[in-house]
Amino acid sequence: MKRAILAALGLATSLAMPATAEDIKVGLLLPYSGVYAALGNDIDAGFALGLETFGAETGATFEIVREDTEVKPPVALGKAKKLILQDKVDVMAGIVSSGVLGAVRDMVHGAGVPLIVANAGNDEATGIQCSPYITRMSFSNGQVNRPMGTWMAEQGIKKVYTLAPDYAAGRQMIDGFAQTFTAAGGEIVGQEFTPFQKTQDFGPYLAQAKASGADAVFVFYAGGEAISFVKQYDSFGLKADLPLYGSGFLTSALYVNAEGPAAEGVITALHYVPTIENDANKAFAEAFTAATGRVPSEYAVQGYDSARALVEAVKAGATDRESLANALRQVSFDGPRGPLSIDPATNNLIQPIYVYETIAGEGGLTQKVLAQLPAERDPVNGCEMAPVSN
Ligand code: PHB
């Protein structure tokens, strides 16, 4: 807007010029209540730290409007509409649940509002349902779990029983794992999907896993469900005979200490663990702990990197929905996860995956990296990336 006025006055301005004194209105669409509330709050804290750390370089001001998805797709769709039509945000960030991302995708794409996905791994949002307006600063469900299928088969594990909540993320995470595990000669001897946000008692499922003849169990659970699952797995007495593996959200640094000793020895894979050693992670971890009193989790780093991506886009001269969408797809920087780049074919991140074991450390449970698996890029999964329309 200001750029247009300057141009009309004949005051030259170029797209490469940093936006000075620009107001950028950001809609943060996160679960602040429900089973993923802690995850939403950690992304929010990471986002705030990212803006505080890098935002001043732009000269822009960032106004934040927060809306609670409650982890309910219809509620989230209503909130997305409000942010887009009523608040007229320039950009949206957030979204934790793959179900919520699936629900708001058409609205976001149709309205031409850039969305920085700060968690939800829904494979379709960077696959068959991809959009030039949707850029991911988190992970995709397949990306996190495919490397683990191969790695577990290489460790000599032959038969696995799988469990996950019955919604898009649970199904896609298990699919990703099962694809590579079976390709490497492994066998899935049983599989259940538990009612999402409704299952309190995992006992019946654990009894089935025990009777299945599996060598190991592989699961995806996150947030409150992860805490209940890990505790019940241990109290059921399964851990010693039937080792527990999963995607790394199961034992996230955000709530692993709420799981307590039940989490010790669980082996999982993820795109970030707070114990990664590099300068950017050291600076981030120190600042995040100073601000919140917590060790940063994958959720915190996704929020932080989302804010950094927005800042980079604004520094590249973007000021409105279209220029922001274009610039966001092109950002790259060295973050706490290492060098980050976005695959132009899908707008998903390309990043390494870490296999880690939860072990007892000095200040509580910590993450011991067992393997760093090479940078993982998703297949295009039917994505035909259209240009941002003008
Ligand atoms: C998702 O629904 O995509 C999702 C939710 C929580 C996680 C990871 C993925 O920790």
Side-chain angles (χ1 to χ4, degrees), residues 131-211:
S131 161
Y133 295 98
I134 299 178
T135 300
R136 211 185 310 255
M137 292 308 291
S138 51
F139 59 88
S140 74
N141 293 329
Q143 179 185 50
V144 167
N145 295 286
R146 286 192 309 266
M148 188 60 158
T150 316
W151 187 85
M152 280 176 62
E154 282 167 6
Q155 308 310 302
I157 298 166
K158 296 198 161 47
K159 294 180 177 183
V160 164
Y161 188 93
T162 71
L163 280 170
D166 190 8
Y167 81 108
R171 294 198 170 258
Q172 293 174 1
M173 300 237 187
I174 297 300
D175 269 7
F177 167 78
Q179 240 178 54
T180 54
F181 184 64
T182 53
E187 188 189 344
I188 305 292
V189 295
Q191 184 167 75
E192 276 292 340
F193 292 95
T194 57
F196 181 42
Q197 307 193 75
K198 293 195 186 92
T199 309
Q200 311 279 334
D201 178 10
F202 292 98
Y205 304 103
L206 298 179
Q208 285 180 39
K210 190 174 177 182

Side-chain angles (χ1 to χ4, degrees), residues 36 39 96-98 119-122 139 141 167 169 173 220 222 249 299:
Y36 290 156
L39 288 58
V96 164
S97 156
S98 283
N119 187 73
N122 195 328
F139 59 88
N141 293 329
Y167 81 108
M173 300 237 187
F220 160 70
F249 311 101
Y299 309 109

Side-chain angles (χ1 to χ4, degrees), residues 7-29:
L9 291 172
L11 301 172
T13 175
S14 96
L15 267 186
M17 193 180 98
T20 45
E22 213 43 81
D23 283 337
I24 306 286
K25 201 167 187 184
V26 186
L28 268 190
L29 192 56

Side-chain angles (χ1 to χ4, degrees), residues 231-261:
K231 284 185 154 172
Q232 289 181 31
Y233 199 88
D234 189 33
S235 60
F236 223 77
L238 286 187
K239 231 171 71 181
D241 296 334
L242 200 52
L244 178 57
Y245 294 80
S247 55
F249 311 101
L250 185 67
T251 45
S252 172
L254 180 58
Y255 37 75
V256 71
N257 282 304
E259 295 169 352

